Amino acid sequence: MMENRNEITVTIVAHRGCSGAAPENTMAAFKLALSEPDIAMIELDVHLSKDGVPVVIHDHTLDRTTNGSGPVAAYTLEELRQWDAGSKFAAAFADERIPTLEEVLELAKGRCTLHVELKMLANEYAGIEEKIISLVQRHGMQKEVVLSSFNHDSMKRAHEIDPSIATGLIFLGKPTLLAEQLRYTGATCLSMHYAFVTPELFDEMTGLGIDIGVWTVDEPDTLARMMRDYPGMRITTNYPDRVLRIARGEAASI
Protein backbone atom coordinates (compact mmCIF):
# COMPACT_ATOMS: atom_id res chain seq x y z
CA MET A 1 0.00 0.00 0.00
CA MET A 2 1.21 3.48 -0.76
CA GLU A 3 2.16 5.78 2.06
CA ASN A 4 -0.54 7.98 3.50
CA ARG A 5 -0.73 11.34 1.77
CA ASN A 6 -3.24 13.78 0.33
CA GLU A 7 -1.34 14.83 -2.81
CA ILE A 8 -2.64 13.57 -6.14
CA THR A 9 0.50 12.88 -8.23
CA VAL A 10 -1.25 11.79 -11.44
CA THR A 11 -3.86 13.26 -13.76
CA ILE A 12 -7.15 11.47 -13.11
CA VAL A 13 -9.30 10.91 -16.19
CA ALA A 14 -12.86 9.65 -15.71
CA HIS A 15 -13.42 7.07 -18.47
CA ARG A 16 -16.72 7.79 -20.21
CA GLY A 17 -17.50 9.76 -17.07
CA CYS A 18 -17.58 7.93 -13.76
CA SER A 19 -18.71 4.85 -15.63
CA GLY A 20 -18.17 2.48 -12.72
CA ALA A 21 -20.95 4.23 -10.82
CA ALA A 22 -23.26 5.49 -13.60
CA PRO A 23 -24.07 4.49 -17.17
CA GLU A 24 -21.16 5.29 -19.45
CA ASN A 25 -21.18 8.37 -21.65
CA THR A 26 -24.34 9.80 -20.09
CA MET A 27 -24.96 13.12 -18.41
CA ALA A 28 -25.32 11.27 -15.11
CA ALA A 29 -21.78 9.86 -15.43
CA PHE A 30 -20.39 13.26 -16.43
CA LYS A 31 -22.12 15.11 -13.60
CA LEU A 32 -20.76 12.59 -11.12
CA ALA A 33 -17.23 13.18 -12.43
CA LEU A 34 -17.67 16.94 -12.23
CA SER A 35 -18.70 16.63 -8.58
CA GLU A 36 -15.17 15.51 -7.65
CA PRO A 37 -12.69 18.41 -7.94
CA ASP A 38 -9.64 16.11 -8.12
CA ILE A 39 -10.84 14.60 -11.41
CA ALA A 40 -8.89 16.63 -13.98
CA MET A 41 -10.37 15.26 -17.19
CA ILE A 42 -13.41 13.44 -18.54
CA GLU A 43 -12.98 11.06 -21.47
CA LEU A 44 -15.88 10.55 -23.87
CA ASP A 45 -16.59 9.13 -27.32
CA VAL A 46 -18.26 10.80 -30.29
CA HIS A 47 -20.07 9.49 -33.38
CA LEU A 48 -22.20 11.33 -35.91
CA SER A 49 -25.94 10.80 -36.16
CA LYS A 50 -27.55 10.26 -39.55
CA ASP A 51 -28.24 14.00 -39.75
CA GLY A 52 -24.63 14.88 -38.88
CA VAL A 53 -24.92 15.78 -35.18
CA PRO A 54 -21.99 14.79 -32.93
CA VAL A 55 -23.43 12.43 -30.29
CA VAL A 56 -21.79 10.84 -27.28
CA ILE A 57 -21.72 7.04 -27.29
CA HIS A 58 -18.87 4.52 -27.41
CA ASP A 59 -20.00 1.70 -29.68
CA HIS A 60 -20.83 1.98 -33.34
CA THR A 61 -24.15 0.31 -32.53
CA LEU A 62 -26.83 0.98 -29.93
CA ASP A 63 -27.25 -2.59 -28.74
CA ARG A 64 -24.88 -2.85 -25.76
CA THR A 65 -25.66 0.36 -23.88
CA THR A 66 -29.23 1.22 -24.91
CA ASN A 67 -32.54 -0.49 -25.59
CA GLY A 68 -32.12 0.36 -29.25
CA SER A 69 -30.52 -1.69 -31.99
CA GLY A 70 -28.43 -1.08 -35.06
CA PRO A 71 -25.78 1.45 -36.09
CA VAL A 72 -25.69 4.87 -34.46
CA ALA A 73 -25.23 6.40 -37.91
CA ALA A 74 -28.52 4.92 -39.12
CA TYR A 75 -30.59 7.23 -36.91
CA THR A 76 -31.21 10.97 -36.76
CA LEU A 77 -30.64 12.77 -33.48
CA GLU A 78 -34.39 12.86 -32.85
CA GLU A 79 -34.56 9.12 -33.36
CA LEU A 80 -31.55 8.46 -31.13
CA ARG A 81 -33.21 10.45 -28.36
CA GLN A 82 -35.92 7.84 -28.00
CA TRP A 83 -33.56 5.16 -26.76
CA ASP A 84 -32.97 4.55 -23.07
CA ALA A 85 -29.23 4.77 -22.33
CA GLY A 86 -29.41 4.10 -18.60
CA SER A 87 -31.60 1.13 -17.71
CA LYS A 88 -29.08 -1.51 -18.76
CA PHE A 89 -26.77 -0.14 -16.08
CA ALA A 90 -29.43 0.23 -13.38
CA ALA A 91 -33.16 0.95 -13.22
CA ALA A 92 -32.45 4.19 -11.36
CA PHE A 93 -30.95 5.65 -14.57
CA ALA A 94 -33.91 4.88 -16.83
CA ASP A 95 -34.31 8.51 -17.90
CA GLU A 96 -30.79 8.84 -19.30
CA ARG A 97 -30.52 9.52 -23.03
CA ILE A 98 -27.67 9.68 -25.52
CA PRO A 99 -26.19 13.18 -25.07
CA THR A 100 -25.00 15.47 -27.81
CA LEU A 101 -21.43 16.68 -27.66
CA GLU A 102 -22.72 20.23 -27.39
CA GLU A 103 -24.63 19.37 -24.22
CA VAL A 104 -21.46 17.98 -22.66
CA LEU A 105 -19.42 21.00 -23.71
CA GLU A 106 -21.98 23.29 -22.06
CA LEU A 107 -21.94 21.18 -18.90
CA ALA A 108 -18.15 21.04 -18.55
CA LYS A 109 -17.11 24.51 -19.70
CA GLY A 110 -14.88 26.16 -17.10
CA ARG A 111 -15.05 23.08 -14.88
CA CYS A 112 -13.08 20.24 -16.44
CA THR A 113 -11.02 19.36 -19.50
CA LEU A 114 -12.71 17.01 -21.96
CA HIS A 115 -10.78 14.28 -23.75
CA VAL A 116 -12.91 13.64 -26.84
CA GLU A 117 -12.28 10.44 -28.80
CA LEU A 118 -13.47 10.48 -32.41
CA LYS A 119 -14.85 7.05 -33.25
CA MET A 120 -14.39 5.97 -36.84
CA LEU A 121 -14.12 2.85 -38.94
CA ALA A 122 -11.88 4.00 -41.76
CA ASN A 123 -13.47 7.29 -42.91
CA GLU A 124 -17.14 6.57 -42.25
CA TYR A 125 -17.81 9.99 -40.71
CA ALA A 126 -16.69 12.44 -43.37
CA GLY A 127 -16.30 15.91 -41.89
CA ILE A 128 -16.49 14.82 -38.25
CA GLU A 129 -13.37 16.83 -37.40
CA GLU A 130 -14.85 20.07 -38.78
CA LYS A 131 -18.16 19.52 -36.98
CA ILE A 132 -16.54 18.88 -33.60
CA ILE A 133 -14.00 21.68 -33.91
CA SER A 134 -16.74 24.12 -34.92
CA LEU A 135 -18.62 23.29 -31.70
CA VAL A 136 -15.47 23.68 -29.61
CA GLN A 137 -14.70 27.04 -31.21
CA ARG A 138 -18.29 28.24 -30.82
CA HIS A 139 -18.06 27.61 -27.07
CA GLY A 140 -14.56 29.08 -26.79
CA MET A 141 -13.19 25.84 -25.37
CA GLN A 142 -10.10 25.35 -27.52
CA LYS A 143 -7.93 25.09 -24.40
CA GLU A 144 -10.43 22.89 -22.54
CA VAL A 145 -10.68 20.07 -25.07
CA VAL A 146 -8.27 17.42 -26.33
CA LEU A 147 -9.21 15.50 -29.46
CA SER A 148 -7.92 11.94 -29.93
CA SER A 149 -8.46 8.91 -32.11
CA PHE A 150 -7.10 5.57 -33.24
CA ASN A 151 -7.51 7.11 -36.71
CA HIS A 152 -4.31 9.09 -36.99
CA ASP A 153 -5.20 10.65 -40.35
CA SER A 154 -8.17 12.19 -38.56
CA MET A 155 -5.92 13.74 -35.94
CA LYS A 156 -3.66 15.16 -38.63
CA ARG A 157 -6.72 16.78 -40.24
CA ALA A 158 -7.91 18.12 -36.89
CA HIS A 159 -4.52 19.67 -36.17
CA GLU A 160 -4.47 21.32 -39.58
CA ILE A 161 -7.98 22.75 -39.07
CA ASP A 162 -7.17 24.32 -35.69
CA PRO A 163 -3.66 23.87 -34.24
CA SER A 164 -4.75 25.59 -31.03
CA ILE A 165 -6.74 22.48 -30.02
CA ALA A 166 -4.55 19.72 -28.62
CA THR A 167 -4.70 16.40 -30.43
CA GLY A 168 -3.65 12.93 -29.40
CA LEU A 169 -2.96 9.52 -30.91
CA ILE A 170 -4.32 6.30 -29.38
CA PHE A 171 -2.46 3.01 -29.75
CA LEU A 172 -3.08 -0.58 -28.78
CA GLY A 173 0.42 -1.98 -28.61
CA LYS A 174 3.88 -0.42 -28.64
CA PRO A 175 4.56 0.96 -32.12
CA THR A 176 7.89 1.79 -33.65
CA LEU A 177 8.80 5.32 -34.73
CA LEU A 178 6.39 6.67 -32.14
CA ALA A 179 7.98 10.11 -31.88
CA GLU A 180 7.94 10.43 -35.67
CA GLN A 181 4.23 9.57 -35.84
CA LEU A 182 3.39 12.16 -33.21
CA ARG A 183 5.45 14.79 -34.97
CA TYR A 184 3.95 14.00 -38.40
CA THR A 185 0.37 14.34 -37.17
CA GLY A 186 1.06 17.33 -34.91
CA ALA A 187 -0.19 15.42 -31.87
CA THR A 188 1.06 16.33 -28.42
CA CYS A 189 -0.82 13.66 -26.46
CA LEU A 190 -0.35 9.91 -26.44
CA SER A 191 -2.74 7.29 -25.05
CA MET A 192 -1.75 3.65 -24.69
CA HIS A 193 -2.95 0.52 -22.97
CA TYR A 194 -1.17 0.46 -19.61
CA ALA A 195 0.44 -2.95 -20.31
CA PHE A 196 2.67 -1.42 -23.00
CA VAL A 197 4.09 1.53 -21.05
CA THR A 198 7.65 1.23 -19.76
CA PRO A 199 9.80 3.64 -17.73
CA GLU A 200 11.99 4.17 -20.79
CA LEU A 201 9.04 5.07 -22.98
CA PHE A 202 7.57 7.32 -20.32
CA ASP A 203 10.86 9.19 -19.92
CA GLU A 204 11.30 9.53 -23.69
CA MET A 205 7.83 10.92 -24.26
CA THR A 206 7.84 13.32 -21.32
CA GLY A 207 11.29 14.49 -22.44
CA LEU A 208 9.75 15.38 -25.79
CA GLY A 209 6.95 17.31 -24.12
CA ILE A 210 4.32 14.68 -24.91
CA ASP A 211 1.43 14.26 -22.49
CA ILE A 212 1.36 10.49 -22.04
CA GLY A 213 -1.57 8.58 -20.60
CA VAL A 214 -2.77 5.03 -20.09
CA TRP A 215 -6.14 3.32 -20.37
CA THR A 216 -8.13 1.76 -18.79
CA VAL A 217 -6.76 1.05 -15.30
CA ASP A 218 -9.24 -0.20 -12.71
CA GLU A 219 -7.51 -2.88 -10.60
CA PRO A 220 -6.29 -1.30 -7.31
CA ASP A 221 -2.81 -2.89 -7.29
CA THR A 222 -2.19 -1.77 -10.87
CA LEU A 223 -3.45 1.72 -10.10
CA ALA A 224 -1.12 1.93 -7.10
CA ARG A 225 1.85 0.77 -9.17
CA MET A 226 1.16 3.24 -11.98
CA MET A 227 0.76 6.07 -9.51
CA ARG A 228 4.02 5.15 -7.80
CA ASP A 229 6.13 4.53 -10.90
CA TYR A 230 4.82 7.24 -13.24
CA PRO A 231 4.27 10.55 -11.44
CA GLY A 232 2.51 12.97 -13.74
CA MET A 233 0.96 10.17 -15.79
CA ARG A 234 -2.55 10.64 -17.16
CA ILE A 235 -4.52 7.65 -15.86
CA THR A 236 -7.89 6.84 -17.39
CA THR A 237 -10.13 4.76 -15.16
CA ASN A 238 -13.76 3.77 -14.73
CA TYR A 239 -13.27 4.21 -10.98
CA PRO A 240 -11.66 7.57 -10.14
CA ASP A 241 -12.70 7.02 -6.51
CA ARG A 242 -10.16 4.19 -6.27
CA VAL A 243 -7.34 6.51 -7.35
CA LEU A 244 -8.43 9.03 -4.74
CA ARG A 245 -8.57 6.40 -1.99
CA ILE A 246 -5.11 5.09 -2.88
CA ALA A 247 -3.68 8.61 -2.89
CA ARG A 248 -5.17 9.15 0.56
CA GLY A 249 -3.68 5.92 1.87
CA GLU A 250 -7.04 4.19 2.10
CA ALA A 251 -8.06 0.74 0.89
CA ALA A 252 -9.32 0.69 -2.69
CA SER A 253 -10.76 -2.79 -3.02
CA ILE A 254 -12.89 -3.78 -5.99
Side-chain angles (χ1 to χ4, degrees):
M1 181 179 292
M2 298 181 68
E3 64 180 341
N4 186 23
R5 67 174 188 272
N6 293 318
E7 181 184 2
I8 308 295
T9 61
V10 296
T11 298
I12 303 173
V13 185
H15 187 231
R16 307 176 196 170
C18 285
S19 55
E24 65 177 62
N25 278 326
T26 63
M27 297 299 273
F30 300 141
K31 289 174 182 177
L32 190 59
L34 289 168
S35 71
E36 173 49 68
D38 285 323
I39 293 176
M41 301 181 74
I42 295 173
E43 187 270 352
L44 56 99
D45 308 279
V46 174
H47 292 260
L48 292 184
S49 65
K50 185 178 181 179
D51 48 346
V53 179
V55 293
V56 180
I57 185 172
H58 178 270
D59 296 0
H60 285 74
T61 63
L62 299 166
D63 303 67
R64 181 179 63 86
T65 58
T66 81
N67 63 344
S69 181
V72 174
Y75 296 95
T76 66
L77 175 61
E78 183 178 358
E79 291 167 336
L80 289 172
R81 291 292 206 188
Q82 70 182 299
W83 306 120
D84 176 350
S87 291
K88 284 192 173 181
F89 184 90
F93 295 102
D95 290 334
E96 291 299 318
R97 303 292 158 176
I98 298 172
T100 64
L101 175 60
E102 184 159 30
E103 287 172 332
V104 182
L105 291 173
E106 291 171 349
L107 178 70
K109 183 173 182 178
R111 303 172 67 187
C112 188
T113 300
L114 296 178
H115 195 113
V116 178
E117 180 179 344
L118 282 65
K119 307 295 288 189
M120 284 181 284
L121 295 174
N123 292 309
E124 65 177 329
Y125 293 134
I128 188 173
E129 300 88 3
E130 288 86 353
K131 290 179 182 295
I132 289 176
I133 289 171
S134 176
L135 284 175
V136 173
Q137 292 171 337
R138 187 186 312 160
H139 290 277
M141 295 178 67
Q142 291 93 324
K143 299 304 181 183
E144 300 177 60
V145 169
V146 178
L147 304 179
S148 68
S149 184
F150 282 97
N151 187 318
H152 299 170
D153 288 337
S154 174
M155 290 300 93
K156 187 174 187 295
R157 286 194 293 272
H159 179 71
E160 290 169 349
I161 293 167
D162 189 342
S164 72
I165 301 175
T167 54
L169 306 185
I170 310 175
F171 292 92
L172 178 58
K174 188 177 180 181
T176 58
L177 301 175
L178 185 52
E180 287 81 356
Q181 293 184 64
L182 290 160
R183 183 165 54 250
Y184 174 74
T185 57
T188 56
C189 298
L190 167 65
S191 297
M192 302 178 67
H193 188 278
Y194 67 88
F196 295 97
V197 174
T198 64
E200 294 76 16
L201 177 63
F202 179 75
D203 290 344
E204 178 189 2
M205 291 296 106
T206 53
L208 292 172
I210 299 298
D211 171 27
I212 182 169
V214 291
W215 50 268
T216 300
V217 192
D218 289 338
E219 200 277 330
D221 288 345
T222 305
L223 281 168
R225 177 176 62 81
M226 301 298 289
M227 294 169 69
R228 180 190 65 237
D229 294 346
Y230 300 103
M233 177 78 83
R234 176 168 34 88
I235 296 181
T236 300
T237 177
N238 295 310
Y239 299 94
D241 57 301
R242 293 177 184 171
V243 180
L244 296 172
R245 289 201 298 271
I246 291 169
R248 294 163 184 162
E250 302 169 359
S253 59
I254 294 177

